[in-house]
Amino acid sequence: AGGRQRAEVAAQMNWKFLVYDWGGWNVALFHAINSGMPSALDPVAWCFSLIGNYWTAPLLLLGLWRWSISASNPARACAVRQRLVTFGLAFALALLAASALKWWLDFPRPPAVLGHLVHVIGEPELHYSLPSGHSTFAALVVGALWPLVGFRGRLALVFYAALVGWSRVAAGMHFPADVVAGWMLGASSVAIAGLLRSALMSRQGALVKGLSG
């Protein structure tokens, strides 16, 4: 029994070393970003952490709704409404998944691991590092708006997500692996929400057709 337990612990450590620690690169990249950032950029990191917060979701929902009712092109208005529904579903999915993962994994945040070596902007946090909720939300925003904007808009969205992720590392709140995990979770939530919306619309169309027939 003791040998099996040691083997399970070793397997877990190897998994974490490869998937989360990236063979040591996760901490190395954290130090490069967090320690190498000039203090003059602290307000920039604070700003992008603020606009990448989940609590800005109502503003995006309101903006999409206003866009949908003000669009002069009916097809455009319909497309915006579809992204509004997709974002709402994706937000709910991502919030539940991120909360569950944070509580289940309970990975320590940088100040808990590296102590005084971390440059922290704001109040230091010690628990629930994986995934980054801010990066998850940034990916949700990118996924929701991506089909609605052109090349310049998409470029701006990529920069927005990248800066939100950078801000969480620069602020000493997350490791880079937490940020990448957040992006992946957000993108996956948008994809799943799109499938759910399509399924709901197909069922609704079939129901309407059945009633009219």
Side-chain angles (χ1 to χ4, degrees):
R4 178 182 295 180
Q5 186 177 10
R6 285 193 296 272
E8 291 177 352
V9 171
Q12 291 174 359
M13 292 180 63
N14 288 335
W15 172 87
K16 183 178 180 294
F17 182 75
L18 292 174
V19 177
Y20 185 77
D21 293 335
W22 301 345
W25 280 99
N26 189 28
V27 173
L29 285 173
F30 173 83
H31 280 305
I33 296 171
N34 183 262
S35 302
M37 185 188 73
S39 58
L41 293 180
D42 281 9
V44 179
W46 178 87
C47 177
F48 277 94
S49 285
L50 179 65
I51 64 177
N53 196 298
Y54 275 124
W55 300 114
T56 59
L59 296 177
L60 181 58
L61 288 168
L62 182 61
L64 286 171
W65 173 78
R66 186 71 181 86
W67 189 0
S68 71
I69 64 174
S70 62
S72 57
N73 187 326
R76 184 68 168 174
C78 181
V80 175
R81 283 194 297 271
Q82 289 179 359
R83 301 316 295 175
L84 172 61
V85 173
T86 299
F87 175 77
L89 290 172
F91 179 80
L93 290 172
L95 186 61
L96 289 172
S99 299
L101 286 171
K102 282 177 177 289
W103 281 94
W104 177 47
L105 296 172
D106 191 17
F107 277 19
R109 292 186 185 246
V113 178
L114 304 173
H116 68 280
L117 298 177
V118 178
H119 171 64
V120 179
I121 301 174
E123 292 295 325
E125 299 182 25
L126 304 178
H127 298 281
Y128 314 123
S129 191
L130 180 75
S132 164
H134 288 68
S135 297
T136 301
F137 180 73
L140 293 177
V141 174
V142 172
L145 298 180
W146 191 268
L148 301 175
V149 297
F151 175 76
R152 291 183 179 178
R154 291 177 176 180
L155 192 61
L157 288 173
V158 170
F159 273 108
Y160 158 74
L163 285 170
V164 169
W166 163 81
S167 74
R168 302 310 288 160
V169 179
M173 297 297 178
H174 287 286
F175 290 105
D178 305 324
V179 171
V180 174
W183 287 335
M184 294 174 63
L185 176 58
S188 301
S189 298
V190 172
I192 294 172
L195 295 175
L196 289 175
R197 178 187 56 78
S198 297
L200 290 172
M201 290 180 65
S202 297
R203 171 169 284 191
Q204 184 181 25
L207 181 60
V208 170
K209 184 177 180 181
L211 292 174
S212 62

